[in-house]
Structures are given as structure tokens and as C-alpha cells.
Amino acid sequence: MSDDIHTPAVPDGEGDAPASNPGKHDAEVERLFGTGGPLGPAVGGFRPRKAQTEMAKAIAQAITEQSTLIAEAGTGTGKTFAYLVPALMWGGKTIVSTGTKNLQDQLYLRDIPTVRAALKAPVSVALLKGRGNYLCHYHLERTLANGRMTSREDVGYLREISRFLKMTQSGDKAELARVPENAPVWNLVTSTRENCVGQDCQYYQDCFVMKARREAQQADVVVVNHHLFFADVALKDTGVAELLPSANTIIFDEAHQLPDTATLFFGETVSTSQVLELCRDVLAEGLAHARDGANWASVVTVVEKAARDLRLTFPQDVVRLSLAQIAPSSDFFPALAKLKEELDGMLEVLEGQAQRAETIEQCRQRGLELAQKYKDWQVDPKAKVPPGQEAVYWVEAFASSLQLHKTPLSIAQIFNNQREGTPRSWIFTSATLAVKNDFKHFSHQLGLYDEPAMSWPSPFNYPDQGILYVPQGLPDPNSMGYTDAVLDAALPVIEAAGGRTFLLCTTLRAVKRAAERLRDEFEKRGLKFPLFVQGDRGRTELLDQFRKAGNGVLIGSQSFWEGVDVRGEALSLVIIDKLPFAPPDDPVLAARIEVMEKKGMNGFVHHTLPEAIINLKQGAGRLIRDEADRGVLMLCDPRVISKPYGRRIWQSLPPFKRTREQADVIAFFQPPAA
């Protein structure tokens, strides 16, 4: 393994490392993180770690200088405290943005209160989520009045939600564990940007969304998530826009997710499901306020039919195609024209009735917005697109809806525009930002060209704590029966480990096949390892049950590669079926690679490979979570050995001991001789 895995705090060659000059707050950071400092008594098991202290110094300096810092910290560094301590002490008005709502809750409910109490810092903290997370008084009342519940389960959930409304301070649906977060009933009792009545609402003073935004305005530290941050920058509708001007410090945790999230929001998407939702509301509002104004049922039926017919122009499977891949003779084009025409017809009716009720006018506004999005979704071949503003037009078909996307190929320029203006500190941190200490892949995607980037190694002793095992004799990953070959190689290792396994697959098809086969094999071999499969239950519930079981086998795809923390004995083997290369049918990836290759770059080397390495580092990071963990990372893809790029991949992983012999792995799991 190459030595540079261990290099402490290196600049990425594009900017100076800020750690070279002593920072204004270095001595104070040393005291806070040192032996006898305030963090020890407040945090169980806390002890000084050099990397954590050095990282905190670099962040404190970036905050003081109102500069930008890209900070990669290996697993176990304690990066959360390394940014929270300087932020709470010197950050002024701070926005902390993290990857998921789960991590948001963890920061708000656990990490920030711990640090705040230890430092005795007099800072106020607020949590801000997207509006779909907050119960809406108006929509709950309307749903109760309409009685549109279809199942007995929904009726029960609605009763729970009505009771919750009387007790909750925040209206955050995460507080109501009895109603699953993905229960369809939530769509009827929360608002969207399109159907919120705004200041005309009789409940405006009590509105939970407004209350959360007011609290965020007044707080010193606001915890948001990346989706909310970028949705706001793009739509100006989530309460972050009002926060940005006054913020002194912005910290992105799990920053490796930013390019994908930003791309999603700086693009445009319109879906047939939005049309069907609009039709549902037009029918309800028309019958309630202008029953004699039109034959509302027939007005919406033709639009609904046109939306469904547009979806049916593609086969039943989930499909992703760029505009260029759709045959000019396809039924898609006339069906799209028909939907635009029928939508315009419904808008004419709404225009005639809009003055009869505010809610009908609102439906008209939503309809105009949708019609505009459908009109905008077309390429003018004669138009000259300025460099850096290229976009790809593509369609995505789901089981019962069709989405039309316009996605920017680069967000560097847009994101740079966001960062201009008021000087403030921008901190980007994650365990996985570099490919073998090179940050260019991450920094160039966000336009952070000359910003300092630093890396702190994990404190774990990887050569003693773990093994990287690449089995011999596996077929080409694209061959038929590859998943079964992986399972043949994995079964003896799962048995030796006593279960305690994550099997991470790159496709849902592989998850399904692995679940069928392992269920069968465990039964045949009399192995009592409980099996937990993604999709059977919610992610949090699966993880809780996996931890409790102590000898479980969990099979999951992409969502289990990140942000999952299972410490100790319950997880001792992580099996990865294939290198996580992006699917070749991804229209955005194909268009990006085309643009790179026109510039003389190699799309695989400069984009696909670094992306896969960062993903793989995330998956590998599930294994060793503290100093006492031991385990095996089993990477089943033979390309790690057979391809020239394989070396670059394993040199980016933690420096485990490496083997290709199954016997070494079985021996690793044997209890030491007495």
C-alpha cells in the first residue's frame, strides 16, 4: 500500500494549506480538545486525538479569515466535534447542512446539545426541514372534512395525526413514530409550494412551517439538509434564502453528496404525477366553490387521460432515455403535444372561474407553471449555448408517472455565483472527498478551483483491525450468474463470521437474487442467521433489528453504503458485489462524458472512476467504526486485480492487510487459542 495514505494534512496542490501559519484560536482549540478540557467530562469515552484537534484549528482559522476550506477526515477522526466546537465558539450565525434528515436529527438532538453544554456556549439552535415534513392545519382540516380516506389503516393514521396536532410544538412528522414517514396519508395533511395558501390562510399565525422559519431566522446555529439548501437556492421557497444573507459560516457535512444534490435542484423537472395532483385539486375546488361554472369531472378527465397516455408511450419498466435517444417517430411527441393542449383547455376554464375562490385562482397559477415547464422542455437546435451552461434533456418513466428532466452538465458556475457577495466562511467536510489525496474531482465539480484542501488520516490501525479480501476465480462482473458466483464465494466467509454481515449490492436486482438464494442456503445448511433485506421495512427499523440480532445478515443497495453506523461485534464482514460504477444508461453521465471527451479528457479516468472510488470508500467505511472493531472487507470484483486502474482503487481504500486466500479470512474469524 502506498505511503501517501498516511500523509497528514496535505494541500491538494491547488491552494495553500492553511495550517502552516499558527491560527488566532490555536491555543484555545488545544485547551478545549486537550486532556482536562471541557469535552472530556461531557462526552463519554472522549480522549484527545491529534487529527481532530488539528482539523478544528484549520476550521477555526477558516472561520476567522472568512475563507473556504475543503476538509477530508478519515473515519474515527471525530469530524463532527471538530467543526461544531469552532462554529459554536467563533462561527457567528452558522448554517450546518448535512446529507439526510436522519443526520440532521442526530446533530440537532444529540451532537450540538452535547457540545453546547460542554462549552457552556450561549447559542440558540434551530432545526429547519422542507415543508413536506410539517403538518399543515389547513390541509388536515380539509382532509378530515372531505373524508377521502381509502383504507382503514389511513383512517387510523389520520386519528393519530389529529391527536398529534393538539400536542406538538413543532409539527415535525418525525416526532410521530406511530405513523410511518412514508405513509401516503402525509401527502394529504402537509403542504407543497404549489398548494400552500400563504398569508391568506386562516392558520397562518399557527403555521408550523412559518414557525420553523421564524425560529431559524432568530437562531445562532441552524441545522438544514443539502436538499433543503439547494431547493431553496433554486426555488427561494424553503426559508434558507432569508438565512443566507445574515450567515457568517456555512458548513456542509457529508459534502461528497453536494454535486449530485445541487445538480438535481439546479435542473428542471416536470412530472405527470404533478398534473394528476392538480386535476384532483381542480375537481375538489371546482365542485366546492363553482359547481355550476363547468362540468368539472369532464374538464379534468381529458387532462388526466392525456397525462396517463403520455406515460404509456414507454414500456412498463423503469426507463431513462435522453431526448436524442427517443425515435422521432415515437408516440411520445404527439402525446406530449396533446397533454399541452388539454392543459391549456383546463386553464381557460379556470380563468373564467378564478374570481370565485382564492383556491381556484391558486389552481390556475399551478396550472400555468406546469404548462410553462412543459413548453420549456424542448431544445432549440439553432440556439448557441454559452460554455458551462450546457444541459441534457431526458425522460424517466416510473411505474405510473413520467418525468421530463432538464439537467445542467456542470453546476460549477451556478454554485460559484451563489458563493459570491458577502464574505463568509464555507467549510466542506466528509470522510470521502479525495481520490488518493487528490481533491480535483470534488473541487472542480463545485467550481472550488483554487481553494485549500486538507486531509486528516483515520486514527484506526487498519492493518491490525481488518483485511481486504479479493476472492480468486470470480467471472466477469457483467456475465450471467455473476451474483450467484459472488454468493458461492461469500457463503463460507459469512458462516465463518457467524453472520454479522452487510452484503452491499450495486443493483436492486442483485439484492433480490441474493435474498432468495441466501434464504434458501441458510435453511439448507441449518444456519440461524436472521436475514434483513432492503425494502422489507424502513431503513432505520432494519438497522435497529440488525444491531439487536447480533448475528444478522443485511442485504442492501446504495442507501446502505452511506451514513450507516454499526459499531462493535454486530458487523464484522462487509461484502461488496461489484465496483459501484454509475449505470451506463444514465443520460446525464453519458452527456457529461461526451463534453469531457470533446475537451480531450478521458471520461472514464476523469469522471466515472473517481466517482466509483468515492462511492466505494463510503461502502468500505461501514466496517471499522471505532478502535475496537475488527473485520473483513470482501471486494468481489476481479477488475480490482485484472485492470490497470485497479491499483488506483485499492490505494484509495483504508490500508487493510490484503489477501486473496479464503483460508486467511476464515483464520481471521477463528477465536484466538486460549
Side-chain angles (χ1 to χ4, degrees):
M1 191 63 67
S2 137
D3 291 339
D4 53 7
I5 295 288
H6 297 286
T7 315
V10 291
D12 77 342
E14 300 174 72
D16 299 318
S20 46
N21 314 319
K24 179 180 171 185
H25 298 295
D26 281 7
E28 183 64 355
V29 170
E30 290 273 4
R31 184 186 74 77
L32 294 170
F33 283 91
T35 314
L39 290 171
V43 183
F46 178 87
R47 44 175 222 295
R49 294 177 218 175
K50 189 172 182 349
Q52 185 181 43
T53 309
E54 293 304 318
M55 181 178 174
K57 285 181 187 173
I59 289 173
Q61 189 163 348
I63 285 172
T64 307
E65 293 170 358
Q66 295 191 314
S67 60
T68 295
L69 176 66
I70 301 168
E72 182 183 68
T75 311
T77 308
K79 69 179 162 62
T80 308
F81 283 16
Y83 67 71
L84 282 180
V85 169
L88 267 57
M89 293 292 288
W90 306 291
K93 175 88 176 184
T94 300
I95 298 174
V96 180
S97 180
T98 187
T100 62
K101 287 184 288 193
N102 282 356
L103 288 169
Q104 231 187 316
D105 287 336
Q106 185 181 310
L107 269 172
Y108 178 70
L109 299 170
R110 195 181 76 191
D111 297 336
I112 294 178
T114 303
V115 173
R116 182 170 63 175
L119 301 177
K120 298 188 171 54
V123 295
S124 54
V125 187
L127 179 67
L128 186 60
K129 296 181 181 177
R131 65 158 71 242
N133 292 279
Y134 298 101
L135 184 55
C136 167
H137 294 77
Y138 171 75
H139 285 285
L140 173 63
E141 182 186 65
R142 214 177 110 177
T143 302
L144 288 168
N146 291 350
R148 284 197 302 220
M149 294 296 94
T150 46
S151 69
R152 182 182 299 170
E153 188 177 48
D154 281 349
V155 173
Y157 287 159
L158 200 57
R159 202 174 300 126
E160 290 288 356
I161 290 169
S162 299
R163 203 173 296 146
F164 173 63
L165 177 69
K166 298 186 179 77
M167 295 158 13
T168 179
Q169 292 291 304
S170 72
D172 182 347
K173 67 183 189 183
E175 290 177 12
L176 183 55
R178 285 202 192 99
V179 180
E181 209 169 326
N182 53 1
V185 69
W186 283 118
N187 294 333
L188 298 174
V189 296
T190 52
S191 69
T192 62
R193 187 170 69 102
E194 291 82 13
N195 69 18
C196 168
V197 186
Q199 295 189 5
D200 299 322
C201 181
Q202 69 208 74
Y203 298 109
Y204 188 71
Q205 292 309 312
D206 303 317
C207 172
F208 292 123
V209 173
M210 289 301 133
K211 184 172 180 237
R213 291 181 185 180
R214 278 196 303 273
E215 285 173 4
Q217 277 302 135
Q218 289 154 14
D220 301 308
V221 178
V222 186
V223 184
V224 302
N225 59 60
H226 302 337
H227 276 249
L228 185 74
F229 188 91
F230 285 108
D232 193 89
V233 165
L235 303 170
K236 302 281 179 282
D237 174 60
T238 63
V240 177
E242 299 100 72
L243 298 177
L244 270 177
S246 59
N248 308 103
T249 304
I250 296 177
I251 299 171
F252 291 106
D253 196 348
E254 304 295 338
H256 62 278
Q257 297 173 3
L258 290 181
D260 283 350
T261 309
T263 299
L264 188 70
F265 285 104
F266 290 141
E268 289 282 343
T269 294
V270 62
S271 170
T272 54
S273 60
Q274 290 171 287
V275 176
L276 296 175
E277 274 169 33
L278 175 64
C279 289
R280 185 187 75 186
D281 291 346
V282 166
L283 183 61
E285 299 304 335
L287 291 174
H289 302 291
R291 186 175 282 271
D292 57 347
N295 181 343
W296 292 103
S298 60
V299 167
V300 301
T301 305
V302 288
V303 182
E304 287 175 336
K305 182 179 185 311
R308 292 199 173 99
D309 286 348
L310 183 64
R311 167 63 190 92
L312 294 173
T313 58
F314 292 100
Q316 252 336 99
D317 314 334
V318 174
V319 176
R320 296 200 291 182
L321 292 171
S322 69
L323 183 54
Q325 290 173 304
I326 304 172
S329 59
S330 164
D331 292 343
F332 167 75
F333 295 104
L336 180 58
K338 180 74 171 159
L339 176 57
K340 290 178 185 174
E341 187 188 313
E342 297 296 3
L343 202 48
D344 285 344
M346 183 166 81
L347 283 168
E348 275 176 37
V349 175
L350 287 170
E351 190 151 2
Q353 303 297 321
Q355 75 287 358
R356 295 181 67 174
E358 178 60 35
T359 48
I360 296 179
E361 168 58 17
Q362 227 185 350
C363 285
R364 188 180 79 87
Q365 291 297 340
R366 279 165 67 189
L368 286 170
E369 223 172 282
L370 281 176
Q372 192 56 50
K373 281 187 172 180
Y374 275 110
K375 286 190 182 86
D376 290 346
W377 195 83
Q378 56 192 19
V379 190
D380 177 356
K382 294 192 259 328
K384 182 94 181 80
V385 181
Q389 291 180 29
E390 300 92 346
V392 58
Y393 291 79
W394 57 290
V395 302
E396 191 168 20
F398 295 95
S400 57
S401 68
L402 184 75
Q403 294 189 346
L404 308 187
H405 302 279
K406 177 191 173 188
T407 305
L409 293 188
S410 167
I411 53 150
Q413 202 175 324
I414 312 172
F415 189 58
N416 259 336
N417 294 346
Q418 294 304 329
R419 292 175 60 241
E420 279 169 4
T422 317
R424 58 173 66 95
S425 173
W426 295 79
I427 312 289
F428 300 86
T429 183
S430 164
T432 54
L433 294 174
V435 176
K436 235 188 114 197
N437 273 328
D438 180 350
F439 289 81
K440 287 190 187 72
H441 178 67
F442 171 76
S443 60
H444 285 198
Q445 285 184 89
L446 291 178
L448 307 171
Y449 301 111
D450 298 313
E451 301 297 1
M454 301 176 72
S455 181
W456 290 270
S458 165
F460 301 153
N461 183 346
Y462 284 111
D464 285 355
Q465 288 181 253
I467 290 180
L468 170 62
Y469 168 45
V470 181
Q472 300 183 46
L474 281 176
D476 179 271
N478 299 317
S479 61
M480 286 288 289
Y482 177 75
T483 301
D484 281 299
V486 165
L487 296 168
D488 290 337
L491 270 157
V493 184
I494 294 173
E495 196 168 343
R500 306 186 299 154
T501 299
F502 266 12
L503 171 53
L504 300 178
C505 303
T506 48
T507 64
L508 289 170
R509 193 185 293 125
V511 168
K512 195 165 172 260
R513 174 65 194 137
E516 284 167 10
R517 171 91 193 274
L518 288 185
R519 204 165 271 131
D520 194 39
E521 293 282 356
F522 288 175
E523 204 169 314
K524 271 206 288 231
R525 300 174 185 219
L527 299 172
K528 298 274 188 283
F529 304 144
L531 205 54
F532 303 100
V533 183
Q534 177 181 340
D536 285 1
R537 293 181 206 84
R539 180 177 127 130
T540 312
E541 196 184 337
L542 274 180
L543 283 168
D544 287 345
Q545 292 182 332
F546 176 82
R547 284 189 193 97
K548 278 194 196 106
N551 66 340
V553 173
L554 186 148
I555 308 173
S557 71
Q558 190 64 44
S559 71
F560 284 90
W561 288 60
E562 291 198 23
V564 172
D565 193 359
V566 179
R567 288 166 193 251
E569 296 286 302
L571 178 61
S572 297
L573 172 62
V574 171
I575 303 170
I576 291 176
D577 71 336
K578 284 184 194 182
L579 294 171
F581 290 122
D585 69 339
D586 180 338
V588 180
L589 177 69
R592 274 190 182 146
I593 285 174
E594 196 183 322
V595 168
M596 291 176 106
E597 295 190 338
K598 277 181 188 156
K599 293 179 186 166
M601 294 163 81
N602 179 316
F604 179 78
V605 170
H606 292 111
H607 190 86
T608 311
L609 183 61
E611 199 80 347
I613 289 174
I614 284 172
N615 247 329
L616 189 63
K617 280 172 75 173
Q618 277 293 332
R622 300 310 103 218
L623 184 62
I624 307 292
R625 305 298 296 173
D626 68 28
E627 276 95 339
D629 278 354
R630 293 176 80 250
V632 170
L633 173 64
M634 179 172 172
L635 183 50
C636 294
D637 196 316
R639 292 174 293 189
V640 179
I641 306 296
S642 64
K643 297 288 184 190
Y645 57 76
R647 183 181 182 85
R648 195 165 165 212
I649 290 171
W650 57 252
Q651 286 188 340
S652 292
L653 290 172
F656 296 117
K657 195 153 56 183
R658 300 193 304 276
T659 186
R660 303 210 63 196
E661 302 299 329
Q662 191 187 85
D664 294 346
V665 178
I666 307 282
F668 179 86
F669 284 121
Q670 298 302 319

